[in-house]
Amino acid sequence: MSTWLSENGLAWIGGGGLALGGLLLVAYAAQRGLFVPELRIALAVILGAAMLGASEWILRQRPSIAGGRHLLAAAVSAGAGAVTLYGAVCAAHGLYHLMPLGAAAVLAAGVSLGLLALSPRHGEPLALVAIVGAVLTPAFTGLPGWSPLALTLYAALIGATGFSISALRRWGKAGAATIIGLLLLSGVPVGQHQTLPAVIIQILAAAGPFAATLWRRRFRRDDAGDAAGDDFGGLPALALVLVSLASFGPWFSAPVGSGHLPTAILLSGFLIVLAAVMASRDMIRPGLFALPVGMAIFCQLVAMAIAVRAPAFAAQLPWQHALTALIPAVTLWLALDRPAVERTRVLAIGGIGVAVLASLTWPILHAAKIGFGWAPAAILAAALFGAAALIARRVEQASTDRGLALWLAAAAEMAFLAAHAAVAPRFEPAAFGLAALALAVAAWRLPWRGLAPASVVGGLIAFIAMLRPEVIGAALDGRLPLATLLAVSAVAAGLLAVSSTLIWKGGGGSVRNEVEAQGATSLLIVLLALFTALHVVLSGPRDRGVDSLLEASLRTLMLLSTGLLLVLRQRPDEGPIARWRALIVVSLGVAHGVLLQGLAWNPWWGAGEPVAGPPMLNTLILSYLAPAGLLAAIVWRRRPADDRWTKTWVLAVPFFALLWALLALRHLFHGAAMGYAAIGRAEGAAYAVLALIAAYQLRSPSMAGRSSTAWLAGIAPVFGWLALIVAGLVFGVRASPWWGPMAEPLAPAGAALLLFCLYGLGAAAMLRLRRGDGPFDRTALAGAVGTLFVLLTLLIRYAFHGADMRAPTGGEGLETWTFSALWAVFGLAVLSLGAARKDIVLRWAGLAALLFTAAKVVLFDLARLEGVTRAASFLAVGALFVGGALLARRLNAGRRPAEDLET
């Protein structure tokens, strides 16, 4: 290491110092006004030429001379000279205007060509130093003086020089430095809201390595290094990755609505096409095609979300739709000539990517109230289905090809999205049933993989559409006529029944699961419509507004109750549909409850209505505790009890139970104001205690004893650590009425009593978490001791100041002395307990408390206390420390060898 640093390390540092020194000399002369501009430039040129001459002198030395020939030193000296010459040219044009742009470009090109000529002689370090220095030159010569055109031409010169050197000598590091340098230069116009120069520079950074590699393959095929797999071969992939990530800048380089998006879209489209061309020529792996596609999707979604309210939003849509259409077109071109595995991967990237893009775009178009907003999805779906015919003719076996199935899945998603956007909510079940029927007809006539599952998905979406508030809720409110609901349900169920028959005719026994699933979905739609009709007939329409939380809870309970009945009726010899219907119904119930009751209509952080009923005995039981009980019964009776479905449902049981406890506490503290009231000290402490109790339950032996719940033991440590962290933050900082974030006094006395009791409960809960001697158990014990220490501190403070614990201490020293004394007693007690129980955690905790007390006495009491109080503080704490030492020695006397070994 010392040899390397004394030779190569010093050479690199010296070369960098020379380069920066040359540039800084030019800048310093300009700032201080030394000499006339012409002389400054002349001196910079002389300095650069001297550096080049020194490098040549070093290179000409014979190896036999003392000191030898240092190739690296020669290279970095030449690079420093070239950088200085770059700076002189840039300053002559940009700072002093001594020459026009054309002359400056010719001189800069001459420097670049000189580097190109010297690089074979000096090696790659020269190229690296020259490229880095050239990139830094605009910053050192006054970046505000560079026009966008000049900077773009200068970047093009750097790119041409760097990529040419890289291609000639197969220098991967020089090519990588050129890519990074161009991207850094592209950030300048991005910051100046100049999109076009940034796009041109980034296109050069992406296309340069491709052109260099292509040139190398075409004209230097006799080079044995091409097959060596050196770092030069990875430049196209590196350029694609870095430029794709940097393409985010041009998308948002100008304000929304300024008309710059077509240029940014051009960059994203270019990167998508370039990635496909690179993959087709085996310069990159086909999977890397996902990066420019994903960045284009991400940038387009963010741009639409920002610009949705802008007046120019509608004018930008044709460009964004063109980018969306480009993705499947390029995907199709790339995939058709690839082997089966790569073709599947590419089709998945393009098909699923455009499906995700269109699915997330539609809500934005809907919010913008764009006319015929469903039309792009419909056109794209038709195009994807049409392209599927071309894929089916090119694949080896259309009935088993996974890529074709993924492409059809994307096309079906587009069709479902168009139906969702174009049809009124009350008619959506019938519309999705019609889409499922169309897919079933295609599955009947065409032996393509993916058509039958897509039809089944359409049926499931029809059932989900029935559960929407615009359908079920409207029928219960009387806003949707019961006849309309029954008619729509009958049409949807009939279409699904017909599609089930067609799927059976097309695939026979190979599609038995799809046929049974479609039939079961049809039956569920009928049962749901009848249930709603009976509810309306028996109870009548509701006169008040929609109780969304109650409706969601009833639907969840209906699904889980149906699932429990199906689980109770399970038999060992049941068929696939009998097995899957219970799984689907229960899983739908779980997902429905988590998404609606847990998130959307939650009465705390969602849009749910206020809780009705007294504390702890209210509608929260129906919404959260009842689903937890039903799921617990389902898990108890489910056979087999250890499959992945049951394990997923097991996780939902504590989720709903914990939600109920959390919301019940919230309602207990705030009542009807639980949706907007701030979290108080005692409330936060109660949540921390709840988290600790939940962690204790998850770590219980009974939980690990059953096969269906044993896997929760795997996540119990993670939840336990999170609970400890949350409890530490709450009891250590947030809930403290002294140093915590809340400044309100702790009043009345009942509030203080409640808070202090919660501190005690928190410490007790941490103690209960300890079941062994592992890191988690030791942390829990240490947390309990720390919580008790904080509680003791707050009690002392409350005894002296009452409710307003933030009041200044004042001049008296009794409070300060009391802290020192009681802290020392606490530390001594914990240390003694640890020594008696041979517990290393308690001993270290007691020692920490004593050492903290000692530091407080020396650093605080000595400065604040005076007279007798100061002396009493030192005497009392000193006596306690001596007594503690004697007691500890007595307790440890019986096990001295073991203690010595441990120490």
Side-chain angles (χ1 to χ4, degrees):
M1 178 62 69
S2 62
T3 302
W4 189 93
L5 288 175
S6 62
E7 295 180 0
N8 299 331
L10 291 179
W12 279 110
I13 296 171
L18 287 175
L20 293 178
L23 296 176
L24 290 174
L25 186 60
V26 176
Y28 179 80
Q31 293 170 359
R32 298 294 183 180
L34 301 178
F35 312 116
V36 295
E38 292 82 357
L39 183 57
R40 300 171 196 167
I41 300 300
L43 291 175
V45 172
I46 293 173
L47 179 60
M51 293 179 186
L52 289 173
S55 72
E56 187 66 20
W57 180 82
I58 296 172
L59 194 64
R60 289 176 180 268
Q61 299 299 309
R62 294 194 306 272
S64 59
I65 296 179
R69 181 173 56 183
H70 203 310
L71 299 179
L72 179 59
V76 297
S77 298
V83 169
T84 305
L85 293 179
Y86 269 128
V89 174
C90 295
H93 169 69
L95 291 180
Y96 308 128
H97 308 290
L98 298 178
M99 63 179 66
L101 178 62
V106 171
L107 290 176
V111 176
S112 297
L113 292 176
L115 291 177
L116 187 63
L118 289 175
S119 59
R121 180 173 172 83
H122 288 274
E124 192 173 14
L126 170 61
L128 289 174
V129 173
I131 292 170
V132 172
V135 171
L136 295 177
T137 295
F140 282 99
T141 56
L143 195 57
W146 285 70
S147 66
L149 177 60
L151 186 66
T152 304
L153 294 176
Y154 181 72
L157 178 64
I158 294 176
T161 305
F163 293 133
S164 298
I165 294 174
S166 177
L168 282 172
R169 305 295 294 178
R170 294 188 61 84
W171 286 342
K173 295 182 180 63
T178 306
I179 297 170
I180 297 173
L182 291 178
L183 293 179
L184 291 176
L185 289 178
S186 72
V188 177
V190 168
Q192 297 173 348
H193 309 301
Q194 298 286 339
T195 306
L196 183 58
V199 168
I200 294 175
I201 296 174
Q202 291 192 10
I203 288 178
L204 176 62
F210 168 73
T213 305
L214 196 64
W215 177 86
R216 188 80 192 184
R217 288 182 177 181
R218 178 170 299 180
F219 297 104
R220 302 298 294 269
R221 294 180 179 177
D222 56 339
D223 191 349
D226 286 341
D230 54 14
D231 53 1
F232 176 79
L235 283 183
L238 177 65
L240 184 66
V241 170
L242 295 180
V243 178
S244 296
L245 296 176
S247 64
F248 184 84
W251 275 85
F252 306 100
S253 61
V256 174
S258 61
H260 72 290
L261 278 186
T263 309
I265 290 173
L266 176 64
L267 173 62
S268 295
F270 173 80
L271 293 176
I272 292 172
V273 174
L274 180 64
V277 175
M278 286 182 178
S280 68
R281 294 179 176 271
D282 296 325
M283 293 184 185
I284 62 172
R285 294 183 178 181
L288 200 58
F289 178 66
L291 182 59
V293 171
M295 281 302 299
I297 292 173
F298 175 73
C299 293
Q300 188 169 348
L301 288 173
V302 175
M304 293 183 72
I306 294 175
V308 65
R309 302 298 181 188
F313 178 73
Q316 299 170 0
L317 286 179
W319 292 93
Q320 304 205 29
H321 292 328
L323 179 61
T324 304
L326 179 67
I327 295 175
V330 175
T331 299
L332 194 64
W333 172 80
L334 175 61
L336 291 181
D337 293 331
R338 309 304 299 177
V341 176
E342 294 183 359
R343 181 179 62 240
T344 299
R345 192 173 302 159
V346 172
L347 289 175
I349 292 170
I352 296 177
V354 76
V356 171
L357 173 60
S359 300
L360 297 178
T361 298
W362 179 84
I364 301 175
L365 298 178
H366 179 71
K369 295 180 171 47
I370 300 296
F372 298 97
W374 53 270
I379 296 173
L380 190 56
L384 292 178
F385 278 120
L390 181 60
I391 298 173
R393 285 196 293 267
R394 300 291 293 271
V395 301
E396 294 78 5
Q397 188 71 29
S399 60
T400 58
D401 190 80
R402 294 178 60 190
L404 177 60
L406 292 172
W407 188 266
L408 288 171
E413 168 64 14
M414 294 296 98
F416 299 149
L417 179 63
H420 173 63
V423 179
R426 63 180 60 185
F427 300 118
E428 279 189 23
F432 288 123
L434 184 61
L437 178 62
L439 291 169
V441 172
W444 171 42
R445 304 297 299 175
L446 300 172
W448 293 355
R449 181 179 180 179
L451 287 173
S455 177
V456 173
V457 172
L460 291 176
I461 297 178
F463 175 70
I464 294 173
M466 289 285 296
L467 297 173
R468 294 185 63 189
E470 292 85 351
V471 180
I472 294 296
L476 293 174
D477 282 344
R479 293 180 284 116
L480 177 64
L482 190 58
T484 303
L485 175 67
L486 294 176
V488 171
S489 304
V491 170
L495 292 173
L496 295 182
V498 175
S499 65
S500 176
T501 304
L502 293 175
I503 293 173
W504 175 262
K505 290 182 178 180
S510 62
V511 290
R512 177 183 177 185
N513 292 336
E514 287 83 351
V515 172
E516 292 182 347
Q518 200 74 305
T521 305
S522 174
L523 179 60
L524 286 174
I525 290 177
V526 172
L527 292 176
L528 182 59
L530 292 177
F531 175 83
T532 306
L534 288 175
H535 185 281
V536 173
V537 170
L538 296 177
S539 304
R542 294 177 302 187
D543 296 330
R544 59 184 180 86
V546 180
D547 191 347
S548 304
L549 176 61
L550 182 60
E551 280 190 1
S553 304
L554 291 176
R555 288 195 298 269
T556 300
L557 292 177
M558 181 196 71
L559 289 171
L560 294 180
S561 300
T562 305
L564 178 59
L565 292 176
L566 294 175
V567 168
L568 293 175
R569 294 179 57 187
Q570 63 185 356
R571 299 188 306 273
D573 58 342
E574 60 189 7
I577 188 60
R579 293 194 300 269
W580 280 95
R581 65 186 178 187
L583 299 177
I584 292 174
V585 171
V586 177
S587 299
L588 283 175
V590 172
H592 187 273
V594 170
L595 295 176
L596 294 185
Q597 293 145 245
L599 298 176
W601 303 118
N602 191 288
W604 184 358
W605 53 77
E609 293 76 13
V611 177
M616 309 305 290
L617 296 174
N618 45 45
T619 53
L620 292 175
I621 296 178
L622 184 65
S623 301
Y624 301 99
L625 197 57
L630 285 173
L631 279 171
I634 291 172
V635 170
W636 183 267
R637 298 300 301 269
R638 166 77 177 157
R639 296 293 180 272
D642 56 350
D643 66 339
R644 63 178 184 273
W645 295 98
T646 307
K647 291 178 180 179
T648 304
W649 302 340
V650 165
L651 185 61
V653 175
F655 173 79
F656 280 108
L658 190 60
L659 263 183
W660 171 79
L662 187 70
L663 295 173
L665 283 175
R666 178 71 174 177
H667 185 257
L668 183 63
F669 275 97
H670 298 287
M674 64 179 296
Y676 54 86
I679 299 178
R681 300 188 186 97
E683 183 183 357
Y687 296 149
V689 173
L690 177 62
L692 294 172
I693 294 175
Y696 172 78
Q697 293 297 329
L698 287 176
R699 298 183 76 237
S700 64
S702 60
M703 189 73 70
R706 288 182 54 84
S707 58
S708 59
T709 59
W711 74 282
L712 285 177
I715 67 170
V718 177
F719 188 86
W721 280 108
L722 291 175
L724 282 180
I725 293 173
V726 170
L729 293 175
V730 170
F731 291 122
V733 179
R734 194 186 184 283
S736 170
W738 184 2
W739 58 81
M742 302 179 201
E744 296 80 7
L746 191 61
L753 179 61
L754 175 61
L755 179 62
F756 296 148
C757 288
L758 288 171
Y759 265 89
L761 289 175
M766 292 181 191
L767 287 175
R768 294 283 292 174
L769 284 177
R770 189 184 188 188
R771 296 182 180 276
D773 199 34
F776 176 81
D777 305 282
R778 294 184 177 185
T779 305
L781 179 58
V785 175
T787 303
L788 291 176
F789 184 79
V790 173
L791 175 59
L792 173 64
T793 303
L794 294 177
L795 288 173
I796 297 172
R797 186 70 175 179
Y798 186 78
F800 279 92
H801 293 273
D804 191 6
M805 299 174 66
R806 290 176 178 265
T809 302
E812 67 278 2
L814 181 59
E815 179 183 354
T816 302
W817 182 88
T818 304
F819 276 119
S820 302
L822 293 184
W823 283 351
V825 171
F826 177 84
L828 179 59
V830 175
L831 176 63
S832 303
L833 184 63
R837 295 191 174 186
K838 305 178 184 180
D839 194 313
I840 189 66
V841 177
L842 290 177
R843 279 187 288 177
W844 274 107
L847 285 173
L850 291 173
L851 293 176
F852 179 78
T853 304
K856 185 255 185 187
V857 169
V858 173
L859 300 177
F860 186 83
D861 293 5
L862 186 62
R864 291 295 185 91
L865 300 181
E866 296 179 356
V868 178
T869 309
R870 177 190 298 177
S873 177
F874 276 83
L875 290 174
V877 174
L880 288 172
F881 273 53
V882 172
L886 295 175
L887 180 60
R889 183 172 184 96
R890 175 175 298 181
L891 293 173
N892 294 332
R895 50 181 182 279
R896 179 63 56 191
E899 182 69 16
D900 291 341
L901 181 61
E902 182 180 355
T903 304

